[in-house]
Amino acid sequence: MGNDRSVVRVLLDRRGRTYAEEAGIRLSDRPGPLYQLLVLTTLLSTRIRACVAVDAARELFAAGYRTPQAMEAASWQERVDALGRGHYRRYDERTATMLGTGARLCLDRWHGDLRRLHREAQGDPAGLRRRLTEFPGIGPTGADIYLREAQTVWSDVRPYADRRALAGAKRLGLPGSPDRLAGLVDEPDFGRLASALVRVALGEESAGEVTRVAAR
């Protein structure tokens, strides 16, 4: 347990930012940030590097598309252009369409407020995943991404560790269940840990280097 805690401490020191934080989202249980996380999730759900998805999200937000109303009001070409500035080029046209359609769904179904989605599902992860996959471009993996990040503000979802996070834990020799991993950090830090573990699974962080530093 002591060595596991050392590994986690080093990992959080090196990679203790969520993807939402990197995209400039000040995540809180409010409509704006929760929608911005949905946008980021849509971008992360394609076969593209996470850093490119994060940069593209920052460009969309810098252009003012921080709410479903603003995203829908933007023209398709404006969304394509913002994605291009973030070098999100391979899927830019398709994703621009999905962002517009998703914004309309958010407004029609949830009145622009994803707290309603959370309340309707009563915090049940399976129910949340099912509702999230109704958004275009968000499948089971995308729903996992959203909940992995949202657990920092939706405490009833914690501890949420998806397949990628658990794969990262395995590479580091850490416990293979969300509950056991949760025992290694303070409860509010679990979302940061889950994101850091994903970075290990994706090769953005070296498992060997983390374990070597932790063993010093």
Side-chain angles (χ1 to χ4, degrees):
M1 177 68 78
N3 184 61
D4 288 348
R5 289 186 184 277
S6 296
V7 169
V8 167
R9 186 162 55 249
V10 171
L11 180 61
L12 289 178
D13 285 344
R14 294 168 66 97
R15 290 287 188 168
R17 297 181 73 200
T18 64
Y19 287 103
E21 288 174 319
E22 286 199 359
I25 301 171
R26 293 187 177 183
L27 198 57
S28 63
D29 193 24
R30 295 185 293 113
L34 291 174
Y35 173 71
Q36 291 155 29
L37 178 58
L38 185 72
V39 171
L40 176 62
T41 297
T42 304
L43 301 177
L44 286 168
S45 294
T46 58
R47 295 178 180 271
I48 202 161
R49 288 182 300 160
C51 62
V52 175
V54 167
D55 287 346
R58 294 181 72 94
E59 290 293 338
L60 287 165
F61 301 150
Y65 313 146
R66 292 179 166 271
T67 65
Q69 293 89 343
M71 185 67 78
E72 188 189 38
S75 71
W76 177 83
Q77 188 61 55
E78 286 172 332
R79 293 193 293 267
V80 168
D81 291 345
L83 291 168
R85 290 193 295 274
H87 305 290
Y88 197 95
R89 303 188 190 282
R90 184 176 177 187
Y91 301 100
D92 54 351
E93 295 185 356
R94 175 171 172 265
T95 301
T97 298
M98 292 192 301
L99 289 171
T101 304
R104 184 71 259 164
L105 176 61
C106 185
L107 291 167
D108 287 345
R109 177 79 188 273
W110 308 110
H111 304 283
D113 187 350
L114 293 175
R115 292 177 300 181
R116 292 171 178 263
L117 180 150
H118 184 214
R119 285 195 296 268
E120 184 177 293
Q122 298 181 328
D124 171 54
L128 288 165
R129 291 176 86 250
R130 186 168 59 254
R131 288 164 175 80
L132 286 166
T133 57
E134 294 176 8
F135 286 96
I138 297 182
T141 297
D144 282 338
I145 293 170
Y146 192 94
L147 294 178
R148 192 177 68 223
E149 298 274 319
Q151 68 180 317
T152 61
V153 295
W154 287 350
S155 60
D156 51 2
V157 177
R158 290 198 297 262
Y160 195 91
D162 63 345
R163 174 179 52 83
R164 282 181 176 169
L166 294 177
K170 183 177 181 179
R171 293 184 65 177
L172 289 165
L174 294 173
S177 75
D179 287 338
R180 290 183 63 196
L181 286 169
L184 300 175
V185 292
D186 293 335
E187 185 183 356
D189 289 333
F190 190 80
R192 294 172 56 230
L193 174 60
S195 291
L197 291 172
V198 169
R199 296 177 196 280
V200 173
L202 295 178
E204 296 176 13
E205 179 57 75
S206 167
E209 182 63 17
V210 170
T211 54
R212 279 194 293 272
V213 173
R216 291 175 185 171

